[in-house]
Amino acid sequence: MSTQAINIGIDESDRQAIAQGLSALLADTYTLYLKTHYFHWNVTGPMFQTLHLMFETQYNELALAVDLIAERIRALGVQAPGTYREFMRLSSIAESDGVPKAHEMIHQLVEGQEAVVRTARSLFARVDAAHDEATADLLTQRIQLHEKTAWMLRSLLEQSAHDAGLLVGVVGVNQADLKSNQPRLFNRIPRAWACLLYTSPSPRDQRGSRLPSSA
């Protein structure tokens, strides 16, 4: 049975090239979805509730995006990739090695969000030349969302660094750790936070003459 030729005002060579680029975007989006879902399951620490819920919001949005991108590929007359083998070949996002600490999870997701932005942006020249407004609109929406999500995640890292600075000299974290061994510093922060958040200050504490220790 023959199929009807596609006649949507975009040459077949352009449709194939755009679909190839969208396939890379699909692979990046799916890989980031898996990584975000994986971190949602395994995040621990004092920011558990915040990150657990944030990651859930993000992977749900990515799951919807996967469908939108795949359907655009199909609308261009090309089959969408859908196997792990294809996604590993096409994606620019590396898998996580083990279960990282919470701050490293955030760092990796920032990198992943930015990688998706770069992949989407790289398609614009071909899409514009082919006057493919529908794909251009999809790419614009994806770029806007991923840039905003990267900004929000990056802000958490900035806050973590700020909080770490506040702990210097207060809970036994020294300047050498802050400057030269940040990963070990962050591993010590949860206990310090617990001390600051759950220790009721005495009148002497409030006058600043004694502060809770990290012991």
Side-chain angles (χ1 to χ4, degrees), residues 199-212:
T199 301
S200 298
S202 67
R204 291 183 62 200
D205 295 333
Q206 294 174 347
R207 291 195 304 269
S209 59
R210 181 170 59 85
L211 289 168

Side-chain angles (χ1 to χ4, degrees), residues 7-126:
N7 183 16
I8 58 175
I10 303 174
D11 292 340
E12 181 178 358
S13 60
D14 287 330
R15 288 191 285 105
Q16 290 288 339
I18 293 169
Q20 183 177 0
L22 287 174
S23 294
L25 181 62
L26 177 62
D28 275 355
T29 304
Y30 194 84
T31 303
L32 184 58
Y33 159 79
L34 286 177
K35 177 175 283 193
T36 306
H37 210 154
Y38 176 56
F39 290 169
H40 164 79
W41 289 328
N42 292 294
V43 67
T44 59
M47 293 182 67
F48 168 79
Q49 187 70 9
T50 297
L51 295 179
H52 185 71
L53 295 176
M54 176 182 284
F55 294 165
E56 181 177 6
T57 299
Q58 291 173 5
Y59 77 67
N60 281 330
E61 194 285 325
L62 288 164
L64 296 175
V66 164
D67 203 46
L68 292 174
I69 298 166
E71 288 181 351
R72 184 57 194 161
I73 295 171
R74 294 297 296 125
L76 292 169
V78 180
Q79 291 194 344
T83 66
Y84 288 116
R85 182 183 296 110
E86 289 175 298
F87 288 153
M88 288 180 65
R89 176 177 59 84
L90 292 167
S91 179
S92 65
I93 300 174
E95 292 184 336
S96 179
D97 185 15
V99 180
K101 298 293 185 180
H103 72 281
E104 178 61 22
M105 289 181 178
I106 299 170
H107 176 72
Q108 289 190 27
L109 292 181
V110 170
E111 291 183 334
Q113 296 284 340
E114 292 176 341
V116 177
V117 170
R118 292 192 299 271
T119 299
R121 183 165 279 119
S122 70
L123 295 176
F124 264 110
R126 190 63 182 257

